[in-house]
């Protein structure tokens, strides 16, 4: 998949730079033409000699060679590359890229790129979590750069947590998939609860946090897809780079879905099954007698998508169950004409609404099923997107 591509490997000054040597060797082994550009500080962690030997090309880190006076043309380097892969990407280099600071050859080359840039952050736990760094990462994504997410584990400081550069095999996976399978694919995801108004101050809602749908949007984005996230009311920030459509009610969500077509639909929203038949414009005043509110069914958005599904489209539903889980999930898969359904049972501790974890079983229309362990919603989202990829695209 990567064979024959010209990859500019950018290395900034982090202890994770030692992994860049392995990354460089792997890329070359796969038939990639690699040129390396380093920040001046990166050579404190790994020598240009190692990288030039592995890449079979000169390594660039200064604007000119002081011995020969040769100018290293950053524009030429940028035009040569099919894409720029910055691994490791330090907090400092990310901040400069996000804010237009251009004080070394690597940055000048990045700012001259017309093709894609991937970046794999590497830093310590607290630096990684710092709002300044998080906002710079989001800013870089909003420019169209593709994040290769950091992983959790032991860090050079001895702390354990998020911030470790992605493993070489995951970096290679990220750049391979993005370049082929998901390119040009439009993904529509529904997320969160819906609020059905009773009067101007009250509504009927549910406990959905939207976390599962937002995690799916981030993972689909990382694969290189174009993502439309249609979200009910949540406290979450949408991943930069997705097209966010905010809605309140089931009727608004339905309208937004009808306005957008996609190749892949993932309906993760907890859409109200009933709405208020006659919402009123004035606040309902307290009375001493009982109050009856008439409810009427909403349109089933997933079922409507399934009913109009075209051959090239793939439709994924969710089933939240408390009893007869498998039977109910398979019933929904069939009734709503889905290709895949993700079951979460509220009987499993740590699964379902609100929390940060989930435990799912995925069924497809050929009666295949896979059950996954209890994991963070981000890891579950990765499992779901990887399963979709295998069943739909591979
Ligand atoms: N769904 C939808 N529109 C609705 C109701 C549900 O798109 N009006 C979708 C959900 O996003 C989910 C799937 O249908 O992908 C199943 O939702 P769930 O609440 O589990 O099932 P229901 O069909 O509503 O059935 P029930 O509530 O009886 O279990």
């Amino acid at each position: 998949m990567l064979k024959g591509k010209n990859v500019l490997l950018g290395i900034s000054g982090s202890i994770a730079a030692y992994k860049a040597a392995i990354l460089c060797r792997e890329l070359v082994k796969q038939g990639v033409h690699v040129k390396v550009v380093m920040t001046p500080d990166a050579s404190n962690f790994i020598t240009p000699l190692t990288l030039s030997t592995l890449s079979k090309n000169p390594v660039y880190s200064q604007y000119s060679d002081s011995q020969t006076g040769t100018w290293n043309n950053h524009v030429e380097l940028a035009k040569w590359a099919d894409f720029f892969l910055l691994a490791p990407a330090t907090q400092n280099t990310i901040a400069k890229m996000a804010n237009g600071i251009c004080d070394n050859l690597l940055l000048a080359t990045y700012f001259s790129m017309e093709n894609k840039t991937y970046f794999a952050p590497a830093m310590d736990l607290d630096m990684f979590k710092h709002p300044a760094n998080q906002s710079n990462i989001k800013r870089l994504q909003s420019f169209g750069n593709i994040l290769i997410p950091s992983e959790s584990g032991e860090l050079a400081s001895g702390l354990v947590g998020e911030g470790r550069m992605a493993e070489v095999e995951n970096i290679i996976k990220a750049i391979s998939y993005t370049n082929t399978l998901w390119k040009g694919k439009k993904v529509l995801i529904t997320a969160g609860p819906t609020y059905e108004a009773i009067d101007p101050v009250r509504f009927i809602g549910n406990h959905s946090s939207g976390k599962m749908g937002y995690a799916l949007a981030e993972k689909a984005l990382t694969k290189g897809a174009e993502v439309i996230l249609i979200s009910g009311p949540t406290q979450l920030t949408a991943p930069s780079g997705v097209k966010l459509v905010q809605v309140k009610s089931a009727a608004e969500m339905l309208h937004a879905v009808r306005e957008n077509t996609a190749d892949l639909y993932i309906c993760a929203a907890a859409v109200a099954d009933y709405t208020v038949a006659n919402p009123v414009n004035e606040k309902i005043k307290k009375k001493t007698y009982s109050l009856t509110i008439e409810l009427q069914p909403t349109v089933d958005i997933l079922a409507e998508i399934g009913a109009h599904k075209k051959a090239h489209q793939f439709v994924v539903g969710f089933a939240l169950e408390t009893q007869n889980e498998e039977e109910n999930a398979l019933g929904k898969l069939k009734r709503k004409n889905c290709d895949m359904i993700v079951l979460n049972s509220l009987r499993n501790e740590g699964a379902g609404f609100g929390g940060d974890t989930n435990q799912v079983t995925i069924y497809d229309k050929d009666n295949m099923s896979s059950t996954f362990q209890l994991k963070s919603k981000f890891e579950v989202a990765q499992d779901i997107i990887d399963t979709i990829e295998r069943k739909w695209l591979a």
Side-chain angles (χ1 to χ4, degrees):
M1 273 182 278
L2 289 168
K3 199 171 174 204
K5 292 261 185 278
N6 292 341
V7 174
L8 193 58
L9 176 59
I11 303 176
S12 53
S14 151
I15 181 63
Y18 82 90
K19 288 194 204 165
I22 305 162
L23 177 60
C24 179
R25 195 192 57 192
E26 272 310 308
L27 290 169
V28 170
K29 254 167 75 181
Q30 295 201 16
V32 175
H33 309 298
V34 182
K35 289 187 181 177
V36 176
V37 57
M38 300 170 81
T39 62
D41 196 33
S43 56
N44 290 324
F45 292 91
I46 185 160
T47 68
L49 179 62
T50 305
L51 292 156
S52 67
T53 310
L54 291 170
S55 67
K56 304 183 175 60
N57 273 312
V59 169
Y60 306 89
S61 71
Q62 304 292 337
Y63 283 104
S64 62
D65 184 325
S66 56
Q67 307 275 307
T68 62
T70 317
W71 181 51
N72 291 323
N73 186 336
H74 52 89
V75 179
E76 218 166 71
L77 267 179
K79 299 289 170 264
W80 169 84
D82 289 312
F83 58 87
F84 186 49
L85 170 60
L86 178 62
T90 58
Q91 182 176 35
N92 188 35
T93 294
I94 288 173
K96 288 178 179 175
M97 285 161 70
N99 292 286
I101 298 168
C102 182
D103 63 0
N104 62 43
L105 180 70
L106 181 146
L107 291 162
T109 310
Y110 162 70
F111 288 116
S112 308
M113 283 296 298
E114 276 175 350
N115 290 334
K116 274 200 183 105
T117 293
Y118 298 82
F119 65 110
M123 63 204 71
D124 220 80
L125 178 64
D126 296 310
M127 295 168 77
F128 181 75
K129 281 196 307 204
H130 197 283
N133 180 54
Q134 286 299 316
S135 113
N136 284 332
I137 289 179
K138 291 210 167 88
R139 203 165 145 77
L140 267 194
Q141 286 179 289
S142 74
F143 301 154
N145 299 295
I146 298 161
L147 171 69
I148 303 177
S150 310
E151 294 172 7
S152 280
E154 197 175 325
L155 299 158
S157 62
L159 293 173
V160 175
E162 208 177 346
R164 211 164 77 158
M165 187 172 85
E167 290 302 329
V168 166
E169 63 167 306
N170 292 335
I171 295 179
I172 296 207
K173 251 192 222 167
I175 59 178
S176 319
Y177 287 140
T178 313
N179 277 326
T180 54
L181 297 175
W182 292 80
K183 200 170 170 203
K185 294 280 184 278
K186 244 190 190 181
V187 179
L188 184 151
I189 298 171
T190 67
T194 60
Y195 288 179
E196 308 305 314
I198 298 171
D199 69 11
V201 293
R202 304 177 180 97
F203 59 84
I204 299 174
N206 59 63
H207 292 299
S208 167
S209 61
K211 285 177 188 164
M212 199 60 247
Y214 278 59
L216 284 161
E218 182 169 325
K219 297 298 177 189
L221 199 68
T222 308
K223 292 279 191 185
E226 187 187 327
V227 181
I228 306 160
L229 179 63
I230 299 180
S231 172
T234 73
Q235 304 290 321
L236 306 172
T237 309
S240 309
V242 309
K243 176 182 166 191
L244 175 69
V245 184
Q246 285 171 303
V247 297
K248 277 211 178 85
S249 63
E252 285 175 18
M253 189 171 276
L254 173 69
H255 178 73
V257 169
R258 284 179 177 164
E259 292 284 291
N260 290 281
T261 50
D263 304 296
L264 166 65
Y265 291 87
I266 309 178
C267 290
V271 188
D273 289 333
Y274 292 92
T275 189
V276 178
N278 300 300
V280 291
N281 292 331
E282 304 300 334
K283 185 181 170 205
I284 299 171
K285 301 304 282 181
K286 184 165 56 187
K287 305 271 170 28
T288 50
Y289 48 86
S290 65
L291 174 70
T292 303
I293 297 170
E294 192 190 334
L295 301 179
Q296 65 184 27
T298 55
V299 172
D300 191 312
I301 301 171
L302 174 61
E304 180 173 295
I305 295 168
H308 295 100
K309 188 172 67 179
K310 306 215 169 60
H312 73 278
Q313 292 173 323
F314 197 85
V315 176
V316 181
F318 272 71
L320 179 68
E321 305 296 341
T322 55
Q323 55 182 340
N324 301 330
E325 288 91 339
E326 179 168 327
E327 190 187 330
N328 287 336
L330 290 173
K332 281 175 194 170
L333 172 81
K334 214 163 170 205
R335 242 183 357 264
K336 304 192 190 197
N337 197 25
C338 298
D339 296 285
M340 234 175 76
I341 197 145
V342 181
L343 162 70
N344 28 163
S345 168
L346 280 191
R347 286 208 286 193
N348 292 342
E349 209 173 304
F353 281 178
D356 289 327
T357 56
N358 207 356
Q359 197 272 308
V360 301
T361 301
I362 301 179
Y363 298 91
D364 70 11
K365 59 177 190 219
D366 306 317
N367 281 333
M368 299 288 286
S369 72
S370 329
T371 299
F372 296 87
Q373 305 285 318
L374 179 73
K375 296 179 178 184
S376 77
K377 285 190 172 166
F378 279 99
E379 288 168 318
V380 172
Q382 189 69 61
D383 289 338
I384 294 171
I385 294 289
D386 286 343
T387 308
I388 293 172
E389 183 177 285
R390 277 197 303 279
K391 297 197 184 290
W392 179 44
L393 297 173

